[in-house]
Amino acid sequence: MNSSHMLNQDTFVNLLHTLRVYRFRQLIWLRGEQAWCQAQALSLIESQQTLQTSSLKGCWVQAIVGSSTQPDLPEGMIFLPASKSRGWLGSEQQILALDAFSGFHPDALGALAGTLQAGGLLLLLTPEAWSEAIDPDYQRFAAWPLDAKNLTHYFVARCERLLIESQAPQISQSQGKMGDWALPQYQYLPTAALSVAGEEQAILVEQLVNWFQSKPLAPVVLTANRGRGKSSALGLLLRELIQQPSVKKILVTAPSTQAAAAIFARFADLPAEQQAQVSFVAPDAVLQNLPPADLLIVDEAAAMPVPVLQALLAAYPTCVFATTQQGYEGNGRGFALRFTQHLNQYAPNWLAFNLQQPWRWAVGDPLEILVNRLLLLDAEVIDPVLNPVINKQPLTFSWLKQADLAANEVLLQQVFGLLVLAHYRTTPDDFRQLLDAPNMHLACAWQGDLPVGLALIQHEGGFDAELAQAIFMGKRRPQGHLLAQSLAFHGGLVTAAELNWWRIQRILVHPRLQRQGVGQQLLNFVLKKAQQQPALDLIGSSFGATPELLPFWFNAGYQPVRLGITKDQASGEHTLQVVQGISVAGKALQQRLLARFIETLPDALSLWLQALPADLLVQILQALPLKNLPLKTRLLNEQNQLELHAFANGHRSLAVSRTALKAWLWNVLAKPRENINLAPWVQLLLQEVSEQKLQDALGLKGKKALDKWLRSQLKILIE
């Protein structure tokens, strides 16, 4: 590159000075060959370092980490694989380098941009013609037999367009310095804005101290957009509490220790005995050991599964749940949608606090505005109209193409905003998949010209016999094809990988229109379209099972064929897979999957599924054709009936009555009746939980009380 294309040192120093004065952060876009971009980035980091009094703290982020592509980093900079970026939520950095040559990872940008302090830089390294290059990170969702080079690049093309439109400062290997390197002069003094933010934080800390001193049993929910000083406020709260005369035991939990670092930093200068009152414990360890505590702080709560939060609330009624509300990293909106509903039910006197003013940077920060646009973190959804006249008008349904979304920013914002609002776990990665994932079909429900429901459908299966056999044997696991592969391997039927599937990856409805049949209409629309596909055999879905979700699928004609034996890390729930046959071969496979599921279920219940909520299990069992159970399991012969009668009306012990009781229970489950609580019987006889656990669950004291309860209940049920 010739000297006329070099960045003038004064230009860079002026930019850094302006950023510091106005407490802003900025993205600098480096475009060219990888080695050139890395050299430029290191040069900028070095220049920034010389202006610092202490060593620079930052991350060099790569999606696909390889030693051959890693430059030597100056002191204070660390290599960070993009996949680990969420663990750094809540930390503070002064510089970030996102090396997109190893793949552009949207989740990493979403998570890490918020960790950058005022005056900080985000260096984005990309090829010159970025949208024409193959992005290695696209390999992650290139389902077999495709790879990254076969995928569209709508997401990257949109990023490229927005960066050019934003006039973000850039240095191009072929064209030199471009974009706007002089930040606009703002009218207000940023110090005034900072004092407002400090005042807001101080008021919040005082309110929280008063709340704690009132010995509350009411939880607090603290929400804030990124960079509003939420973690810092929690640290100041703890600083106040541990300096008071009485000794307290305070637990802090978060998705990772880095996420909680900003909390502990606020009282790191206090004496060791005061600091010792606060300890960090990982969420799973808290729930496993239930250490005693006067207060539990849950930071970055939205990045944890909702069932984990529910369990923490049950164990620690005096607690603060702090979370980022803007955008959608973790399951931000799901926290709002699902967890606050849970709070309304189980802790109706819960308190809500919010921080508005930016703390880590100033209002009008260029980086916040740009990242919000790139990842649609600020996607605003127009709410559907709720009035009787409009609601009587039928909804319309249509198919959307990814090219249509890429070409229409307004439609893209509406559709993606709906995905964020209505589904509890949506990430920046999902935004990219919406635009570029291969073999995806999008079905949309409309109220007039407003999208109000969405189904994302993935085409799966169609493996040749040899590869299908290797999948069944567990020797191969080609990328993608979740349902087809899972039912071939776990479900034990090789045909599941050979046949062609539509997997409904997500189905969602605007919260205002939920429970009004919109989702069922959308499922019907998808099913009709599936039935018109000549090469399609089955349609199905795989999701975290909850009592609210099951009737939705079962009423639409889907049958359960597999239940995951461990909890899903993301949802905290057991995965349920449901199917509906389309072709003759598909319907035959559905019957075989059902038969095998029923046959293997009794063993699974007493071994791996002991902890599954029994009410959920009852719903699943009642949706199965249990008349297909092996006869010996459910044979309610004369001997079994005599023993049942003796248990209900006499003193025959539970120990010698289990065979008869089990046969009776399988028969009752096979003929569902309303308003019968079978959950305790399922726990006792099928999941084989201990009698002590069952006593606790039913609130009974002692073996005699349980015995009495079982006999009296059975008497009612067999009459």
Side-chain angles (χ1 to χ4, degrees), residues 400-612:
L400 286 173
K401 287 193 168 69
Q402 288 164 307
D404 300 337
L405 293 177
N408 185 336
E409 184 71 17
V410 175
L411 177 63
L412 178 65
Q413 291 210 22
Q414 276 297 309
V415 166
F416 188 68
L418 180 64
L419 192 65
V420 172
L421 184 64
H423 197 277
Y424 78 93
R425 192 167 186 83
T426 304
T427 67
D429 262 7
D430 294 321
F431 180 29
R432 179 173 64 174
Q433 291 206 37
L434 178 72
L435 286 172
D436 291 320
N439 298 324
M440 184 183 275
H441 311 281
L442 301 168
C444 190
W446 303 81
Q447 184 190 70
D449 57 1
L450 200 63
V452 294
L454 200 63
L456 278 65
I457 299 140
Q458 205 70 47
H459 197 115
E460 294 192 353
F463 292 97
D464 62 53
E466 189 182 341
L467 187 46
Q469 182 65 26
I471 291 165
F472 166 72
M473 295 290 288
K475 292 179 177 177
R476 290 284 305 275
R477 187 69 201 257
Q479 184 142 303
H481 306 266
L482 182 150
L483 197 57
Q485 293 203 69
S486 177
L487 290 173
F489 180 64
H490 299 288
L493 292 172
V494 71
T495 326
E498 296 175 351
L499 296 184
N500 284 287
W501 295 77
W502 270 7
R503 173 171 69 90
I504 300 174
Q505 189 185 333
R506 287 191 182 178
I507 182 161
L508 48 106
V509 172
H510 191 289
R512 275 194 170 193
L513 297 181
Q514 284 170 3
R515 304 194 186 285
Q516 293 178 39
V518 178
Q520 286 290 340
Q521 289 181 62
L522 190 52
L523 269 187
N524 290 340
F525 173 74
V526 171
L527 180 63
K528 278 184 187 146
K529 186 74 173 179
Q531 287 163 340
Q532 294 160 13
Q533 309 297 310
L536 201 64
D537 298 298
L538 298 107
I539 186 166
S541 191
S542 180
F543 53 87
T546 64
E548 302 78 34
L549 264 182
L550 298 187
F552 173 74
W553 290 98
F554 297 163
N555 293 342
Y558 290 80
Q559 287 185 296
V561 290
R562 181 178 170 256
L563 192 52
I565 57 177
T566 54
K567 285 183 179 180
D568 177 73
Q569 277 187 317
S571 68
E573 287 141 1
H574 284 264
T575 298
L576 185 71
Q577 294 177 336
V578 296
V579 307
Q580 190 161 178
I582 303 283
S583 69
V584 173
K587 286 176 179 168
L589 177 62
Q590 180 182 355
Q591 292 313 311
R592 289 179 65 203
L593 285 166
L594 263 175
R596 188 64 185 147
F597 183 45
I598 291 166
E599 203 176 333
T600 55
L601 203 52
D603 285 335
L605 294 180
S606 60
L607 294 170
W608 310 291
L609 297 172
Q610 260 200 345
L612 189 75

Side-chain angles (χ1 to χ4, degrees), residues 12 15-16 18-20 23-29 48 94-96 113 116-124 163 166-170 179-184 361 364-371:
F12 183 60
L15 174 70
L16 286 177
T18 311
L19 290 174
R20 284 181 189 178
R23 300 191 67 254
F24 283 165
R25 302 147 332 134
Q26 181 63 278
L27 179 143
I28 297 178
W29 186 14
Q48 189 176 1
Q94 291 156 316
I95 192 155
L96 293 167
L116 202 58
Q117 295 171 315
L121 294 177
L122 192 156
L123 308 177
L124 176 64
L163 283 166
S166 75
Q167 282 288 295
Q170 56 171 291
D180 184 4
W181 284 79
L183 289 169
W361 53 79
D365 172 65
L367 184 67
E368 183 172 43
I369 294 165
L370 181 57
V371 171

